[in-house]
Amino acid sequence: MDYDRRQVTCPQGQVSRGWHGPYPSSSPTAAPLTVARFTKSQCQPCAARAQCTSSRESHRTVGFPPRELRDLQLRVRAEQQTPEWKTRYAVRSGVEGTVNEFAHGHGMRRCRYRGQGKAHIQHILTAIAVNIERLSGLPPTEEAPTPRRPTAFQDYLDRREIPRPKSWRTLGT
């Protein structure tokens, strides 16, 4: 993109014929857009056409931000490659994952109850549940404890070769 000459050069060496804008975007929060157009006579015979546009009969149109915003983008992208920025962002990315889990995984965009106090309690209880869920998925920090000695009743069942259930929940089955 050559802002001074108001033209764009494609990877195949073609130079745009039209430069329009910057146009205001449809969203009030989005940046304005500058548009450069190539002609049909430039695009139709091009061997790399399929990589640029999916239209069979039309030409290529390129939209990009004005110079000030483009310069800002380039500066910020260069800053994002520094170790200091990556260290700062590592903290943010960890928090964003947790916020995303609450919003999408646990329905925290809407509260079940009315009132700030009840909503606060819902948030606290959900946070406790998430922490328990996370802790239960961690590997054990120490070796498993040694099993308890069998009780006298369990010894009695074993001596008579009577099968004993592993849990009281299986007694009815």
Side-chain angles (χ1 to χ4, degrees), residues 1-4 19 31-32 34 64-80:
M1 287 175 273
D2 186 349
Y3 286 95
D4 295 328
W19 180 284
T34 301
F64 48 92
R67 178 183 286 189
E68 300 80 28
L69 292 178
R70 177 75 177 150
D71 292 344
L72 178 63
Q73 276 182 341
L74 294 174
R75 236 184 8 259
V76 169
R77 288 176 182 162
E79 181 186 338
Q80 289 174 351

PDB file of all heavy atoms in Angstrom, residues 1-4 19 31-32 34 64-80:
ATOM      1  N   MET A   1       0.844  -1.172   0.000  1.00  0.00           N
ATOM      2  CA  MET A   1       0.000   0.000   0.000  1.00  0.00           C
ATOM      3  C   MET A   1       0.888   1.234   0.000  1.00  0.00           C
ATOM      4  O   MET A   1       1.761   1.359   0.857  1.00  0.00           O
ATOM      5  CB  MET A   1      -0.888   0.010   1.234  1.00  0.00           C
ATOM      6  CG  MET A   1      -2.001  -0.987   1.185  1.00  0.00           C
ATOM      7  SD  MET A   1      -2.927  -1.036   2.708  1.00  0.00           S
ATOM      8  CE  MET A   1      -1.959  -2.214   3.599  1.00  0.00           C
ATOM      9  N   ASP A   2       0.653   2.088  -0.934  1.00  0.00           N
ATOM     10  CA  ASP A   2       1.387   3.346  -1.021  1.00  0.00           C
ATOM     11  C   ASP A   2       0.380   4.469  -0.792  1.00  0.00           C
ATOM     12  O   ASP A   2      -0.391   4.838  -1.684  1.00  0.00           O
ATOM     13  CB  ASP A   2       2.058   3.484  -2.384  1.00  0.00           C
ATOM     14  CG  ASP A   2       2.955   4.691  -2.467  1.00  0.00           C
ATOM     15  OD1 ASP A   2       2.905   5.541  -1.553  1.00  0.00           O
ATOM     16  OD2 ASP A   2       3.713   4.784  -3.455  1.00  0.00           O
ATOM     17  N   TYR A   3       0.369   4.994   0.444  1.00  0.00           N
ATOM     18  CA  TYR A   3      -0.602   6.026   0.803  1.00  0.00           C
ATOM     19  C   TYR A   3      -0.321   7.339   0.074  1.00  0.00           C
ATOM     20  O   TYR A   3      -1.245   8.082  -0.220  1.00  0.00           O
ATOM     21  CB  TYR A   3      -0.600   6.251   2.316  1.00  0.00           C
ATOM     22  CG  TYR A   3      -1.276   5.137   3.088  1.00  0.00           C
ATOM     23  CD1 TYR A   3      -0.551   4.084   3.625  1.00  0.00           C
ATOM     24  CD2 TYR A   3      -2.652   5.134   3.278  1.00  0.00           C
ATOM     25  CE1 TYR A   3      -1.168   3.073   4.330  1.00  0.00           C
ATOM     26  CE2 TYR A   3      -3.286   4.127   3.984  1.00  0.00           C
ATOM     27  CZ  TYR A   3      -2.534   3.100   4.517  1.00  0.00           C
ATOM     28  OH  TYR A   3      -3.148   2.098   5.198  1.00  0.00           O
ATOM     29  N   ASP A   4       0.951   7.633  -0.195  1.00  0.00           N
ATOM     30  CA  ASP A   4       1.281   8.895  -0.856  1.00  0.00           C
ATOM     31  C   ASP A   4       0.796   8.914  -2.304  1.00  0.00           C
ATOM     32  O   ASP A   4       0.254   9.905  -2.775  1.00  0.00           O
ATOM     33  CB  ASP A   4       2.792   9.144  -0.800  1.00  0.00           C
ATOM     34  CG  ASP A   4       3.273   9.343   0.630  1.00  0.00           C
ATOM     35  OD1 ASP A   4       2.485   9.874   1.449  1.00  0.00           O
ATOM     36  OD2 ASP A   4       4.414   8.943   0.933  1.00  0.00           O
ATOM     37  N   TRP A  19      -8.858   4.470  -5.943  1.00  0.00           N
ATOM     38  CA  TRP A  19      -8.587   4.634  -4.504  1.00  0.00           C
ATOM     39  C   TRP A  19      -9.712   5.502  -3.968  1.00  0.00           C
ATOM     40  O   TRP A  19      -9.893   6.632  -4.417  1.00  0.00           O
ATOM     41  CB  TRP A  19      -7.236   5.318  -4.323  1.00  0.00           C
ATOM     42  CG  TRP A  19      -6.825   5.563  -2.905  1.00  0.00           C
ATOM     43  CD1 TRP A  19      -7.287   6.529  -2.067  1.00  0.00           C
ATOM     44  CD2 TRP A  19      -5.835   4.848  -2.171  1.00  0.00           C
ATOM     45  NE1 TRP A  19      -6.647   6.467  -0.865  1.00  0.00           N
ATOM     46  CE2 TRP A  19      -5.742   5.443  -0.903  1.00  0.00           C
ATOM     47  CE3 TRP A  19      -5.006   3.772  -2.465  1.00  0.00           C
ATOM     48  CZ2 TRP A  19      -4.874   4.989   0.073  1.00  0.00           C
ATOM     49  CZ3 TRP A  19      -4.133   3.326  -1.489  1.00  0.00           C
ATOM     50  CH2 TRP A  19      -4.072   3.932  -0.233  1.00  0.00           C
ATOM     51  N   ALA A  31     -13.414   1.179  12.711  1.00  0.00           N
ATOM     52  CA  ALA A  31     -12.579   2.191  12.057  1.00  0.00           C
ATOM     53  C   ALA A  31     -13.075   2.460  10.642  1.00  0.00           C
ATOM     54  O   ALA A  31     -13.687   1.597  10.011  1.00  0.00           O
ATOM     55  CB  ALA A  31     -11.138   1.693  12.005  1.00  0.00           C
ATOM     56  N   PRO A  32     -12.804   3.662  10.116  1.00  0.00           N
ATOM     57  CA  PRO A  32     -13.142   3.931   8.723  1.00  0.00           C
ATOM     58  C   PRO A  32     -12.333   3.039   7.790  1.00  0.00           C
ATOM     59  O   PRO A  32     -11.306   2.483   8.180  1.00  0.00           O
ATOM     60  CB  PRO A  32     -12.794   5.399   8.540  1.00  0.00           C
ATOM     61  CG  PRO A  32     -11.935   5.765   9.674  1.00  0.00           C
ATOM     62  CD  PRO A  32     -12.196   4.793  10.781  1.00  0.00           C
ATOM     63  N   THR A  34     -10.608   2.475   3.854  1.00  0.00           N
ATOM     64  CA  THR A  34     -10.191   2.960   2.544  1.00  0.00           C
ATOM     65  C   THR A  34     -10.275   1.773   1.589  1.00  0.00           C
ATOM     66  O   THR A  34      -9.944   0.658   1.955  1.00  0.00           O
ATOM     67  CB  THR A  34      -8.743   3.490   2.599  1.00  0.00           C
ATOM     68  OG1 THR A  34      -8.689   4.531   3.555  1.00  0.00           O
ATOM     69  CG2 THR A  34      -8.297   4.012   1.257  1.00  0.00           C
ATOM     70  N   PHE A  64      -8.819  -1.474   3.592  1.00  0.00           N
ATOM     71  CA  PHE A  64      -7.792  -1.373   4.631  1.00  0.00           C
ATOM     72  C   PHE A  64      -7.994  -0.080   5.404  1.00  0.00           C
ATOM     73  O   PHE A  64      -8.674   0.835   4.934  1.00  0.00           O
ATOM     74  CB  PHE A  64      -6.385  -1.434   4.020  1.00  0.00           C
ATOM     75  CG  PHE A  64      -6.190  -0.540   2.843  1.00  0.00           C
ATOM     76  CD1 PHE A  64      -5.714   0.747   3.005  1.00  0.00           C
ATOM     77  CD2 PHE A  64      -6.502  -0.974   1.565  1.00  0.00           C
ATOM     78  CE1 PHE A  64      -5.550   1.580   1.928  1.00  0.00           C
ATOM     79  CE2 PHE A  64      -6.332  -0.143   0.475  1.00  0.00           C
ATOM     80  CZ  PHE A  64      -5.861   1.142   0.654  1.00  0.00           C
ATOM     81  N   PRO A  65      -7.416   0.015   6.591  1.00  0.00           N
ATOM     82  CA  PRO A  65      -7.609   1.222   7.402  1.00  0.00           C
ATOM     83  C   PRO A  65      -6.796   2.403   6.883  1.00  0.00           C
ATOM     84  O   PRO A  65      -5.842   2.224   6.130  1.00  0.00           O
ATOM     85  CB  PRO A  65      -7.108   0.795   8.787  1.00  0.00           C
ATOM     86  CG  PRO A  65      -6.157  -0.308   8.518  1.00  0.00           C
ATOM     87  CD  PRO A  65      -6.651  -1.007   7.286  1.00  0.00           C
ATOM     88  N   PRO A  66      -7.164   3.624   7.282  1.00  0.00           N
ATOM     89  CA  PRO A  66      -6.369   4.798   6.907  1.00  0.00           C
ATOM     90  C   PRO A  66      -4.943   4.700   7.464  1.00  0.00           C
ATOM     91  O   PRO A  66      -4.653   3.886   8.331  1.00  0.00           O
ATOM     92  CB  PRO A  66      -7.122   5.965   7.552  1.00  0.00           C
ATOM     93  CG  PRO A  66      -8.489   5.456   7.818  1.00  0.00           C
ATOM     94  CD  PRO A  66      -8.374   3.986   8.011  1.00  0.00           C
ATOM     95  N   ARG A  67      -4.067   5.533   6.959  1.00  0.00           N
ATOM     96  CA  ARG A  67      -2.629   5.467   7.286  1.00  0.00           C
ATOM     97  C   ARG A  67      -2.368   5.511   8.796  1.00  0.00           C
ATOM     98  O   ARG A  67      -1.564   4.734   9.310  1.00  0.00           O
ATOM     99  CB  ARG A  67      -1.892   6.618   6.621  1.00  0.00           C
ATOM    100  CG  ARG A  67      -0.409   6.625   6.981  1.00  0.00           C
ATOM    101  CD  ARG A  67       0.295   7.792   6.391  1.00  0.00           C
ATOM    102  NE  ARG A  67       0.446   7.553   4.960  1.00  0.00           N
ATOM    103  CZ  ARG A  67       1.170   8.304   4.166  1.00  0.00           C
ATOM    104  NH1 ARG A  67       1.805   9.342   4.643  1.00  0.00           N
ATOM    105  NH2 ARG A  67       1.263   8.028   2.901  1.00  0.00           N
ATOM    106  N   GLU A  68      -3.017   6.412   9.510  1.00  0.00           N
ATOM    107  CA  GLU A  68      -2.766   6.552  10.948  1.00  0.00           C
ATOM    108  C   GLU A  68      -3.074   5.252  11.685  1.00  0.00           C
ATOM    109  O   GLU A  68      -2.304   4.811  12.538  1.00  0.00           O
ATOM    110  CB  GLU A  68      -3.607   7.688  11.546  1.00  0.00           C
ATOM    111  CG  GLU A  68      -3.346   9.050  10.941  1.00  0.00           C
ATOM    112  CD  GLU A  68      -4.067   9.243   9.606  1.00  0.00           C
ATOM    113  OE1 GLU A  68      -5.118   8.618   9.385  1.00  0.00           O
ATOM    114  OE2 GLU A  68      -3.556  10.008   8.777  1.00  0.00           O
ATOM    115  N   LEU A  69      -4.196   4.632  11.348  1.00  0.00           N
ATOM    116  CA  LEU A  69      -4.559   3.382  12.010  1.00  0.00           C
ATOM    117  C   LEU A  69      -3.647   2.240  11.582  1.00  0.00           C
ATOM    118  O   LEU A  69      -3.295   1.374  12.386  1.00  0.00           O
ATOM    119  CB  LEU A  69      -6.020   3.032  11.711  1.00  0.00           C
ATOM    120  CG  LEU A  69      -7.039   3.976  12.339  1.00  0.00           C
ATOM    121  CD1 LEU A  69      -8.449   3.570  11.932  1.00  0.00           C
ATOM    122  CD2 LEU A  69      -6.910   3.985  13.834  1.00  0.00           C
ATOM    123  N   ARG A  70      -3.247   2.210  10.340  1.00  0.00           N
ATOM    124  CA  ARG A  70      -2.329   1.170   9.849  1.00  0.00           C
ATOM    125  C   ARG A  70      -0.976   1.274  10.554  1.00  0.00           C
ATOM    126  O   ARG A  70      -0.403   0.268  10.960  1.00  0.00           O
ATOM    127  CB  ARG A  70      -2.162   1.308   8.335  1.00  0.00           C
ATOM    128  CG  ARG A  70      -1.201   0.358   7.729  1.00  0.00           C
ATOM    129  CD  ARG A  70      -1.790  -1.021   7.653  1.00  0.00           C
ATOM    130  NE  ARG A  70      -0.823  -1.880   6.984  1.00  0.00           N
ATOM    131  CZ  ARG A  70      -0.695  -3.154   7.205  1.00  0.00           C
ATOM    132  NH1 ARG A  70      -1.496  -3.747   8.034  1.00  0.00           N
ATOM    133  NH2 ARG A  70       0.195  -3.856   6.579  1.00  0.00           N
ATOM    134  N   ASP A  71      -0.472   2.515  10.714  1.00  0.00           N
ATOM    135  CA  ASP A  71       0.785   2.712  11.429  1.00  0.00           C
ATOM    136  C   ASP A  71       0.665   2.252  12.880  1.00  0.00           C
ATOM    137  O   ASP A  71       1.575   1.626  13.429  1.00  0.00           O
ATOM    138  CB  ASP A  71       1.215   4.169  11.373  1.00  0.00           C
ATOM    139  CG  ASP A  71       1.608   4.605   9.966  1.00  0.00           C
ATOM    140  OD1 ASP A  71       1.838   3.713   9.105  1.00  0.00           O
ATOM    141  OD2 ASP A  71       1.677   5.830   9.716  1.00  0.00           O
ATOM    142  N   LEU A  72      -0.477   2.559  13.498  1.00  0.00           N
ATOM    143  CA  LEU A  72      -0.713   2.129  14.869  1.00  0.00           C
ATOM    144  C   LEU A  72      -0.731   0.599  14.956  1.00  0.00           C
ATOM    145  O   LEU A  72      -0.139   0.016  15.861  1.00  0.00           O
ATOM    146  CB  LEU A  72      -2.022   2.720  15.390  1.00  0.00           C
ATOM    147  CG  LEU A  72      -2.426   2.317  16.803  1.00  0.00           C
ATOM    148  CD1 LEU A  72      -1.403   2.809  17.813  1.00  0.00           C
ATOM    149  CD2 LEU A  72      -3.806   2.854  17.124  1.00  0.00           C
ATOM    150  N   GLN A  73      -1.413  -0.056  14.009  1.00  0.00           N
ATOM    151  CA  GLN A  73      -1.435  -1.524  13.971  1.00  0.00           C
ATOM    152  C   GLN A  73      -0.031  -2.100  13.889  1.00  0.00           C
ATOM    153  O   GLN A  73       0.316  -3.036  14.609  1.00  0.00           O
ATOM    154  CB  GLN A  73      -2.224  -2.021  12.758  1.00  0.00           C
ATOM    155  CG  GLN A  73      -3.694  -2.097  12.931  1.00  0.00           C
ATOM    156  CD  GLN A  73      -4.354  -2.652  11.669  1.00  0.00           C
ATOM    157  OE1 GLN A  73      -3.778  -2.654  10.578  1.00  0.00           O
ATOM    158  NE2 GLN A  73      -5.575  -3.111  11.824  1.00  0.00           N
ATOM    159  N   LEU A  74       0.772  -1.577  13.004  1.00  0.00           N
ATOM    160  CA  LEU A  74       2.137  -2.080  12.831  1.00  0.00           C
ATOM    161  C   LEU A  74       2.970  -1.887  14.095  1.00  0.00           C
ATOM    162  O   LEU A  74       3.739  -2.772  14.485  1.00  0.00           O
ATOM    163  CB  LEU A  74       2.800  -1.402  11.634  1.00  0.00           C
ATOM    164  CG  LEU A  74       2.187  -1.723  10.269  1.00  0.00           C
ATOM    165  CD1 LEU A  74       2.838  -0.881   9.183  1.00  0.00           C
ATOM    166  CD2 LEU A  74       2.299  -3.204   9.951  1.00  0.00           C
ATOM    167  N   ARG A  75       2.814  -0.715  14.750  1.00  0.00           N
ATOM    168  CA  ARG A  75       3.562  -0.457  15.980  1.00  0.00           C
ATOM    169  C   ARG A  75       3.149  -1.421  17.088  1.00  0.00           C
ATOM    170  O   ARG A  75       3.992  -1.978  17.792  1.00  0.00           O
ATOM    171  CB  ARG A  75       3.303   0.983  16.424  1.00  0.00           C
ATOM    172  CG  ARG A  75       4.544   1.780  16.580  1.00  0.00           C
ATOM    173  CD  ARG A  75       4.395   3.194  17.106  1.00  0.00           C
ATOM    174  NE  ARG A  75       3.113   3.658  17.590  1.00  0.00           N
ATOM    175  CZ  ARG A  75       2.290   4.435  16.894  1.00  0.00           C
ATOM    176  NH1 ARG A  75       2.592   4.827  15.674  1.00  0.00           N
ATOM    177  NH2 ARG A  75       1.158   4.841  17.411  1.00  0.00           N
ATOM    178  N   VAL A  76       1.849  -1.633  17.236  1.00  0.00           N
ATOM    179  CA  VAL A  76       1.352  -2.524  18.289  1.00  0.00           C
ATOM    180  C   VAL A  76       1.766  -3.966  18.007  1.00  0.00           C
ATOM    181  O   VAL A  76       2.169  -4.697  18.919  1.00  0.00           O
ATOM    182  CB  VAL A  76      -0.181  -2.391  18.418  1.00  0.00           C
ATOM    183  CG1 VAL A  76      -0.757  -3.475  19.291  1.00  0.00           C
ATOM    184  CG2 VAL A  76      -0.530  -1.021  18.970  1.00  0.00           C
ATOM    185  N   ARG A  77       1.684  -4.410  16.763  1.00  0.00           N
ATOM    186  CA  ARG A  77       2.098  -5.777  16.425  1.00  0.00           C
ATOM    187  C   ARG A  77       3.584  -5.992  16.685  1.00  0.00           C
ATOM    188  O   ARG A  77       3.996  -7.070  17.107  1.00  0.00           O
ATOM    189  CB  ARG A  77       1.744  -6.090  14.976  1.00  0.00           C
ATOM    190  CG  ARG A  77       0.257  -6.272  14.786  1.00  0.00           C
ATOM    191  CD  ARG A  77      -0.108  -6.496  13.348  1.00  0.00           C
ATOM    192  NE  ARG A  77      -1.546  -6.615  13.207  1.00  0.00           N
ATOM    193  CZ  ARG A  77      -2.195  -6.483  12.070  1.00  0.00           C
ATOM    194  NH1 ARG A  77      -1.530  -6.237  10.953  1.00  0.00           N
ATOM    195  NH2 ARG A  77      -3.501  -6.597  12.030  1.00  0.00           N
ATOM    196  N   ALA A  78       4.403  -4.966  16.437  1.00  0.00           N
ATOM    197  CA  ALA A  78       5.832  -5.079  16.731  1.00  0.00           C
ATOM    198  C   ALA A  78       6.058  -5.158  18.240  1.00  0.00           C
ATOM    199  O   ALA A  78       6.888  -5.938  18.716  1.00  0.00           O
ATOM    200  CB  ALA A  78       6.595  -3.899  16.140  1.00  0.00           C
ATOM    201  N   GLU A  79       5.289  -4.373  19.000  1.00  0.00           N
ATOM    202  CA  GLU A  79       5.417  -4.400  20.460  1.00  0.00           C
ATOM    203  C   GLU A  79       5.013  -5.760  21.025  1.00  0.00           C
ATOM    204  O   GLU A  79       5.575  -6.230  22.004  1.00  0.00           O
ATOM    205  CB  GLU A  79       4.544  -3.299  21.067  1.00  0.00           C
ATOM    206  CG  GLU A  79       4.621  -3.230  22.577  1.00  0.00           C
ATOM    207  CD  GLU A  79       3.646  -2.231  23.165  1.00  0.00           C
ATOM    208  OE1 GLU A  79       3.224  -1.313  22.448  1.00  0.00           O
ATOM    209  OE2 GLU A  79       3.309  -2.376  24.342  1.00  0.00           O
ATOM    210  N   GLN A  80       4.035  -6.411  20.393  1.00  0.00           N
ATOM    211  CA  GLN A  80       3.561  -7.701  20.877  1.00  0.00           C
ATOM    212  C   GLN A  80       4.603  -8.804  20.751  1.00  0.00           C
ATOM    213  O   GLN A  80       4.457  -9.858  21.344  1.00  0.00           O
ATOM    214  CB  GLN A  80       2.292  -8.108  20.124  1.00  0.00           C
ATOM    215  CG  GLN A  80       1.095  -7.280  20.492  1.00  0.00           C
ATOM    216  CD  GLN A  80      -0.118  -7.598  19.638  1.00  0.00           C
ATOM    217  OE1 GLN A  80      -0.027  -8.327  18.653  1.00  0.00           O
ATOM    218  NE2 GLN A  80      -1.254  -7.053  20.015  1.00  0.00           N
TER     219      GLN A  80
END
